[in-house]
Amino acid sequence: VSEGDVSEGDVSEGDSMSIEPVIYVVDDDTDSRESACALVGQMALKVQAFASAEQFLATYNGHRPACLLTDHRMLGMTGVELLERLRGSGVTLSVIVMTAYAETELTVRAIKSGAVTLLEKPFSDTALWNAIHDALAEDREQFVKQSRIDRIQTHLQSLTAAETDVLNLV
């Protein structure tokens, strides 16, 4: 299990499927973090571990496809606060929230904030695999959408004033 950056160059829409996905695990409990990493490792997926939300935010570089598996109850920023911070910054990374204390209010907040799902600890290998599979599929879709939007915005910004006038008339 490694901690730190994942490098990525320019990625086109077609390339997004060929890049190795990364599963980021954020949990302040060492045993829980190592257990989650071991399960992800058994799935033959690349994993990076972080002991805090703050540590993850300091090193995340936008690598896609990926998903974030975060515990909710942590010292400092909680998992849902991390999710909300990402969404507030425009980051659409797929997020799975884990908790040993699944309360209705927490579940609703996590889902409304954009979590793919909330897993209650202890969870089965199958539940984790299904959640990660769904999260990676969602992340790939979000990546393709964002790539299209970025390309359109680049094209729009390259228009001359006259071309922009014509576009506005259309």
Side-chain angles (χ1 to χ4, degrees):
V1 177
S2 65
E3 296 189 22
D5 290 338
V6 174
S7 61
E8 172 186 12
D10 263 357
V11 177
S12 69
E13 182 179 319
D15 293 338
S16 68
M17 297 303 182
S18 64
I19 294 175
E20 183 180 10
V22 176
I23 311 305
Y24 300 104
V25 177
V26 179
D27 195 330
D28 62 349
D29 179 81
T30 303
D31 292 338
S32 182
R33 184 174 61 249
E34 288 176 356
S35 176
C37 288
L39 287 172
V40 172
Q42 289 174 3
M43 297 171 194
L45 294 170
K46 186 172 182 177
V47 63
Q48 289 189 331
F50 300 90
S52 71
E54 293 83 1
Q55 183 186 31
F56 169 76
L57 287 171
T59 60
Y60 178 63
N61 67 357
H63 178 88
R64 304 294 279 277
C67 85
L68 170 62
L69 180 63
T70 182
D71 188 34
H72 174 63
R73 286 193 178 183
M74 296 185 287
L75 297 174
M77 188 183 305
T78 69
V80 173
E81 289 170 345
L82 172 57
L83 169 60
E84 291 169 345
R85 171 83 62 89
L86 290 169
R87 294 301 182 261
S89 300
V91 176
T92 59
L93 176 69
S94 293
V95 177
I96 300 166
V97 178
M98 313 176 282
T99 185
Y101 307 96
E103 302 159 351
T104 303
E105 184 179 324
L106 169 62
T107 303
V108 170
R109 182 177 169 198
I111 299 302
K112 280 188 171 183
S113 296
V116 173
T117 192
L118 185 133
L119 290 177
E120 187 170 3
K121 292 179 181 180
F123 44 81
S124 69
D125 293 2
T126 302
L128 179 63
W129 170 248
N130 289 337
I132 289 173
H133 181 268
D134 292 347
L136 288 174
E138 179 182 284
D139 196 66
R140 284 183 173 101
E141 287 176 27
Q142 288 295 330
F143 179 85
V144 169
K145 275 186 195 175
Q146 191 59 51
S147 294
R148 287 179 183 150
I149 291 169
D150 292 347
R151 231 178 12 261
I152 290 168
Q153 288 176 339
T154 299
H155 290 311
L156 288 173
Q157 291 171 354
S158 70
L159 295 176
T160 66
E163 290 170 332
T164 302
D165 289 341
V166 171
L167 179 62
N168 288 333
L169 292 173
V170 172

